[in-house]
Amino acid sequence: MKKLNFILSLSLLLMLSGCNSDDDNKNTERNGILIFGWFADSRCSGDCSTIYKIDSENIYRDIDYNYPENTFFDGNFQLMSSANHKDFESLITELPDEIFNEPNGYLDCTDCTNENGGFYLEYQDNNGFHKSWRFRNAIFPDYIENYRSLLLDKLAALNSL
């Protein structure tokens, strides 16, 4: 009986660790393009936005400093050869799953406009999924809190390059 309990316990442990492994690897399999950054309010003059793009191999920076005014950002991206892709790929892999169920537009702020600035995210994959989201520094869903911190850290690192 002890041997049977041991085998059942071991089997259960292996199954559970296999399930956790699948969940942990789910986000790392994302191989789309993420466009991300910040934009200032409408009173800004000069360089009022910084938008980047990361794909499966490289990081790019929009060199025109355009606002993300439309649903999708059409930037003039230039390769950032000084940026180590591995340092920033967590921006794609850590993007919260909940965001993919959100409509295009501002998260938790249906009446927000670009006039007050905020953060910009756009994700496109190879299967035709393409959405963009904005959020304010002070108004966002709870699930984005950790990602917001990651985004701020990575934007600071990219801005220093």
Side-chain angles (χ1 to χ4, degrees), residues 125-157:
D125 67 16
N126 298 331
N127 298 323
F129 181 90
H130 194 187
K131 281 192 176 181
S132 68
W133 311 275
R134 294 162 175 80
F135 63 93
R136 299 259 187 264
N137 197 31
I139 303 173
F140 50 86
D142 290 339
Y143 70 80
I144 204 95
E145 176 70 33
N146 291 336
Y147 188 79
R148 181 186 150 277
S149 296
L150 173 69
L151 181 62
L152 287 169
D153 289 345
K154 298 303 181 184
L155 284 171

Short mmCIF file of all heavy atoms in Angstrom, two decimals, residues 125-157:
data_model
loop_
_atom_site.label_atom_id
_atom_site.label_comp_id
_atom_site.label_asym_id
_atom_site.label_seq_id
_atom_site.Cartn_x
_atom_site.Cartn_y
_atom_site.Cartn_z
N ASP A 125 0.38 39.70 -33.88
CA ASP A 125 1.03 38.40 -34.06
C ASP A 125 0.90 37.92 -35.51
O ASP A 125 0.30 38.59 -36.34
CB ASP A 125 0.51 37.36 -33.06
CG ASP A 125 -0.94 36.96 -33.29
OD1 ASP A 125 -1.50 37.21 -34.38
OD2 ASP A 125 -1.53 36.37 -32.37
N ASN A 126 1.45 36.76 -35.77
CA ASN A 126 1.44 36.20 -37.13
C ASN A 126 0.11 35.58 -37.51
O ASN A 126 -0.08 35.17 -38.65
CB ASN A 126 2.56 35.16 -37.26
CG ASN A 126 3.92 35.77 -37.07
OD1 ASN A 126 4.13 36.94 -37.35
ND2 ASN A 126 4.86 34.99 -36.56
N ASN A 127 -0.83 35.49 -36.56
CA ASN A 127 -2.13 34.86 -36.82
C ASN A 127 -3.22 35.87 -37.12
O ASN A 127 -4.39 35.52 -37.15
CB ASN A 127 -2.54 34.00 -35.61
CG ASN A 127 -1.56 32.88 -35.37
OD1 ASN A 127 -1.03 32.28 -36.31
ND2 ASN A 127 -1.28 32.61 -34.11
N GLY A 128 -2.87 37.13 -37.28
CA GLY A 128 -3.84 38.16 -37.60
C GLY A 128 -4.36 38.95 -36.41
O GLY A 128 -5.16 39.86 -36.58
N PHE A 129 -3.94 38.60 -35.19
CA PHE A 129 -4.35 39.37 -34.01
C PHE A 129 -3.61 40.70 -34.03
O PHE A 129 -2.39 40.75 -34.20
CB PHE A 129 -4.01 38.59 -32.73
CG PHE A 129 -4.41 39.31 -31.48
CD1 PHE A 129 -5.67 39.11 -30.94
CD2 PHE A 129 -3.55 40.19 -30.86
CE1 PHE A 129 -6.05 39.78 -29.79
CE2 PHE A 129 -3.92 40.86 -29.71
CZ PHE A 129 -5.17 40.66 -29.18
N HIS A 130 -4.35 41.80 -33.84
CA HIS A 130 -3.73 43.12 -33.84
C HIS A 130 -4.60 44.06 -33.01
O HIS A 130 -5.74 44.33 -33.38
CB HIS A 130 -3.60 43.63 -35.28
CG HIS A 130 -2.69 44.80 -35.43
ND1 HIS A 130 -2.55 45.49 -36.60
CD2 HIS A 130 -1.84 45.41 -34.56
CE1 HIS A 130 -1.68 46.47 -36.47
NE2 HIS A 130 -1.24 46.45 -35.23
N LYS A 131 -4.07 44.52 -31.89
CA LYS A 131 -4.80 45.43 -31.01
C LYS A 131 -3.85 46.46 -30.44
O LYS A 131 -2.64 46.23 -30.34
CB LYS A 131 -5.46 44.69 -29.85
CG LYS A 131 -6.74 43.98 -30.22
CD LYS A 131 -7.47 43.53 -28.97
CE LYS A 131 -8.79 42.90 -29.33
NZ LYS A 131 -9.53 42.49 -28.13
N SER A 132 -4.43 47.59 -30.03
CA SER A 132 -3.63 48.62 -29.37
C SER A 132 -4.38 49.12 -28.15
O SER A 132 -5.62 49.14 -28.12
CB SER A 132 -3.33 49.77 -30.31
OG SER A 132 -4.50 50.49 -30.63
N TRP A 133 -3.61 49.53 -27.13
CA TRP A 133 -4.19 50.01 -25.88
C TRP A 133 -3.39 51.19 -25.38
O TRP A 133 -2.20 51.32 -25.63
CB TRP A 133 -4.17 48.92 -24.82
CG TRP A 133 -4.72 47.62 -25.28
CD1 TRP A 133 -6.02 47.22 -25.30
CD2 TRP A 133 -3.97 46.50 -25.79
NE1 TRP A 133 -6.13 45.94 -25.80
CE2 TRP A 133 -4.88 45.48 -26.11
CE3 TRP A 133 -2.61 46.28 -26.03
CZ2 TRP A 133 -4.48 44.25 -26.62
CZ3 TRP A 133 -2.21 45.06 -26.55
CH2 TRP A 133 -3.15 44.06 -26.84
N ARG A 134 -4.06 52.03 -24.63
CA ARG A 134 -3.43 53.15 -23.95
C ARG A 134 -3.86 53.10 -22.49
O ARG A 134 -4.93 52.61 -22.18
CB ARG A 134 -3.87 54.47 -24.58
CG ARG A 134 -3.42 54.67 -26.00
CD ARG A 134 -4.26 55.75 -26.67
NE ARG A 134 -3.80 56.07 -28.00
CZ ARG A 134 -4.07 55.37 -29.09
NH1 ARG A 134 -4.79 54.27 -29.01
NH2 ARG A 134 -3.62 55.73 -30.27
N PHE A 135 -3.03 53.65 -21.63
CA PHE A 135 -3.46 53.81 -20.24
C PHE A 135 -2.72 54.97 -19.61
O PHE A 135 -1.62 55.33 -20.01
CB PHE A 135 -3.31 52.51 -19.43
CG PHE A 135 -1.91 51.99 -19.27
CD1 PHE A 135 -1.15 52.33 -18.17
CD2 PHE A 135 -1.38 51.12 -20.20
CE1 PHE A 135 0.14 51.83 -18.02
CE2 PHE A 135 -0.10 50.62 -20.06
CZ PHE A 135 0.66 50.98 -18.96
N ARG A 136 -3.39 55.57 -18.66
CA ARG A 136 -2.82 56.68 -17.92
C ARG A 136 -1.93 56.13 -16.81
O ARG A 136 -2.09 55.01 -16.38
CB ARG A 136 -3.93 57.51 -17.27
CG ARG A 136 -4.88 58.11 -18.23
CD ARG A 136 -4.52 59.56 -18.45
NE ARG A 136 -5.55 60.19 -19.26
CZ ARG A 136 -5.44 60.35 -20.57
NH1 ARG A 136 -4.40 59.92 -21.20
NH2 ARG A 136 -6.39 60.93 -21.23
N ASN A 137 -1.06 56.97 -16.31
CA ASN A 137 -0.20 56.55 -15.21
C ASN A 137 -1.02 56.26 -13.96
O ASN A 137 -0.68 55.39 -13.18
CB ASN A 137 0.85 57.62 -14.92
CG ASN A 137 1.98 57.07 -14.09
OD1 ASN A 137 2.33 55.90 -14.20
ND2 ASN A 137 2.56 57.90 -13.26
N ALA A 138 -2.13 56.98 -13.77
CA ALA A 138 -2.93 56.81 -12.55
C ALA A 138 -4.21 56.01 -12.77
O ALA A 138 -4.87 55.65 -11.81
CB ALA A 138 -3.28 58.18 -11.98
N ILE A 139 -4.59 55.73 -14.01
CA ILE A 139 -5.83 55.01 -14.28
C ILE A 139 -5.52 53.79 -15.14
O ILE A 139 -5.19 53.92 -16.32
CB ILE A 139 -6.85 55.90 -15.03
CG1 ILE A 139 -7.14 57.18 -14.23
CG2 ILE A 139 -8.14 55.14 -15.30
CD1 ILE A 139 -7.99 58.18 -14.98
N PHE A 140 -5.65 52.62 -14.53
CA PHE A 140 -5.41 51.38 -15.27
C PHE A 140 -5.97 50.22 -14.46
O PHE A 140 -6.14 50.33 -13.25
CB PHE A 140 -3.92 51.18 -15.56
CG PHE A 140 -3.03 51.32 -14.36
CD1 PHE A 140 -2.80 50.25 -13.52
CD2 PHE A 140 -2.43 52.53 -14.07
CE1 PHE A 140 -1.99 50.38 -12.40
CE2 PHE A 140 -1.62 52.68 -12.96
CZ PHE A 140 -1.40 51.60 -12.13
N PRO A 141 -6.25 49.09 -15.10
CA PRO A 141 -6.75 47.93 -14.36
C PRO A 141 -5.67 47.35 -13.45
O PRO A 141 -4.48 47.48 -13.72
CB PRO A 141 -7.14 46.94 -15.45
CG PRO A 141 -6.66 47.49 -16.74
CD PRO A 141 -6.19 48.88 -16.53
N ASP A 142 -6.09 46.71 -12.38
CA ASP A 142 -5.15 46.14 -11.42
C ASP A 142 -4.18 45.16 -12.05
O ASP A 142 -3.01 45.10 -11.67
CB ASP A 142 -5.91 45.43 -10.29
CG ASP A 142 -6.64 46.40 -9.38
OD1 ASP A 142 -6.27 47.60 -9.36
OD2 ASP A 142 -7.58 45.97 -8.69
N TYR A 143 -4.64 44.39 -13.03
CA TYR A 143 -3.77 43.36 -13.60
C TYR A 143 -2.57 43.94 -14.33
O TYR A 143 -1.60 43.25 -14.61
CB TYR A 143 -4.56 42.42 -14.52
CG TYR A 143 -5.02 43.03 -15.82
CD1 TYR A 143 -4.15 43.17 -16.90
CD2 TYR A 143 -6.32 43.48 -15.99
CE1 TYR A 143 -4.56 43.72 -18.10
CE2 TYR A 143 -6.74 44.04 -17.17
CZ TYR A 143 -5.86 44.16 -18.22
OH TYR A 143 -6.26 44.70 -19.40
N ILE A 144 -2.59 45.22 -14.65
CA ILE A 144 -1.49 45.82 -15.40
C ILE A 144 -0.41 46.41 -14.48
O ILE A 144 0.63 46.84 -14.95
CB ILE A 144 -2.04 46.87 -16.40
CG1 ILE A 144 -1.07 47.09 -17.58
CG2 ILE A 144 -2.26 48.20 -15.74
CD1 ILE A 144 -1.39 46.29 -18.75
N GLU A 145 -0.63 46.42 -13.19
CA GLU A 145 0.29 47.07 -12.23
C GLU A 145 1.73 46.58 -12.37
O GLU A 145 2.65 47.39 -12.52
CB GLU A 145 -0.19 46.84 -10.80
CG GLU A 145 0.74 47.39 -9.74
CD GLU A 145 0.77 48.91 -9.69
OE1 GLU A 145 -0.27 49.53 -9.96
OE2 GLU A 145 1.84 49.47 -9.40
N ASN A 146 1.95 45.28 -12.33
CA ASN A 146 3.32 44.76 -12.44
C ASN A 146 3.92 45.04 -13.81
O ASN A 146 5.11 45.36 -13.93
CB ASN A 146 3.36 43.26 -12.14
CG ASN A 146 3.09 42.97 -10.69
OD1 ASN A 146 3.30 43.81 -9.83
ND2 ASN A 146 2.59 41.77 -10.42
N TYR A 147 3.09 44.92 -14.84
CA TYR A 147 3.59 45.19 -16.19
C TYR A 147 3.94 46.67 -16.35
O TYR A 147 4.93 47.01 -16.99
CB TYR A 147 2.57 44.76 -17.25
CG TYR A 147 3.14 44.86 -18.64
CD1 TYR A 147 3.98 43.85 -19.12
CD2 TYR A 147 2.88 45.95 -19.45
CE1 TYR A 147 4.53 43.94 -20.39
CE2 TYR A 147 3.43 46.04 -20.72
CZ TYR A 147 4.25 45.04 -21.18
OH TYR A 147 4.81 45.12 -22.43
N ARG A 148 3.17 47.54 -15.75
CA ARG A 148 3.44 48.98 -15.79
C ARG A 148 4.82 49.27 -15.20
O ARG A 148 5.60 50.05 -15.76
CB ARG A 148 2.36 49.75 -15.03
CG ARG A 148 2.53 51.23 -15.03
CD ARG A 148 1.48 51.88 -14.12
NE ARG A 148 1.98 53.09 -13.56
CZ ARG A 148 2.76 53.20 -12.49
NH1 ARG A 148 3.11 52.13 -11.82
NH2 ARG A 148 3.19 54.36 -12.07
N SER A 149 5.14 48.64 -14.09
CA SER A 149 6.46 48.82 -13.48
C SER A 149 7.57 48.32 -14.40
O SER A 149 8.60 48.98 -14.56
CB SER A 149 6.53 48.08 -12.14
OG SER A 149 5.63 48.63 -11.23
N LEU A 150 7.35 47.17 -15.02
CA LEU A 150 8.31 46.63 -15.98
C LEU A 150 8.48 47.58 -17.15
O LEU A 150 9.60 47.89 -17.57
CB LEU A 150 7.85 45.25 -16.47
CG LEU A 150 8.67 44.62 -17.60
CD1 LEU A 150 10.05 44.22 -17.10
CD2 LEU A 150 7.93 43.42 -18.18
N LEU A 151 7.37 48.08 -17.66
CA LEU A 151 7.41 49.00 -18.79
C LEU A 151 8.19 50.27 -18.45
O LEU A 151 9.03 50.72 -19.23
CB LEU A 151 5.97 49.35 -19.21
CG LEU A 151 5.80 50.29 -20.40
CD1 LEU A 151 6.39 49.69 -21.67
CD2 LEU A 151 4.32 50.59 -20.61
N LEU A 152 7.95 50.83 -17.29
CA LEU A 152 8.68 52.03 -16.86
C LEU A 152 10.18 51.77 -16.76
O LEU A 152 11.00 52.58 -17.20
CB LEU A 152 8.14 52.54 -15.53
CG LEU A 152 6.77 53.21 -15.58
CD1 LEU A 152 6.22 53.43 -14.18
CD2 LEU A 152 6.85 54.53 -16.34
N ASP A 153 10.55 50.63 -16.19
CA ASP A 153 11.97 50.27 -16.08
C ASP A 153 12.63 50.12 -17.46
O ASP A 153 13.73 50.62 -17.70
CB ASP A 153 12.14 48.96 -15.29
CG ASP A 153 11.85 49.12 -13.82
OD1 ASP A 153 11.78 50.27 -13.33
OD2 ASP A 153 11.67 48.08 -13.15
N LYS A 154 11.94 49.43 -18.35
CA LYS A 154 12.51 49.19 -19.69
C LYS A 154 12.56 50.48 -20.52
O LYS A 154 13.51 50.69 -21.28
CB LYS A 154 11.72 48.11 -20.43
CG LYS A 154 11.74 46.75 -19.74
CD LYS A 154 13.15 46.22 -19.53
CE LYS A 154 13.14 44.86 -18.89
NZ LYS A 154 14.47 44.37 -18.59
N LEU A 155 11.55 51.34 -20.36
CA LEU A 155 11.58 52.62 -21.07
C LEU A 155 12.76 53.47 -20.58
O LEU A 155 13.45 54.11 -21.39
CB LEU A 155 10.27 53.38 -20.89
CG LEU A 155 9.09 52.86 -21.71
CD1 LEU A 155 7.80 53.54 -21.26
CD2 LEU A 155 9.32 53.06 -23.19
N ALA A 156 12.98 53.48 -19.27
CA ALA A 156 14.12 54.23 -18.72
C ALA A 156 15.43 53.69 -19.27
O ALA A 156 16.34 54.46 -19.63
CB ALA A 156 14.10 54.18 -17.20
N ALA A 157 15.55 52.37 -19.34
CA ALA A 157 16.79 51.76 -19.87
C ALA A 157 16.98 52.10 -21.34
O ALA A 157 18.09 52.45 -21.76
CB ALA A 157 16.74 50.25 -19.66
#
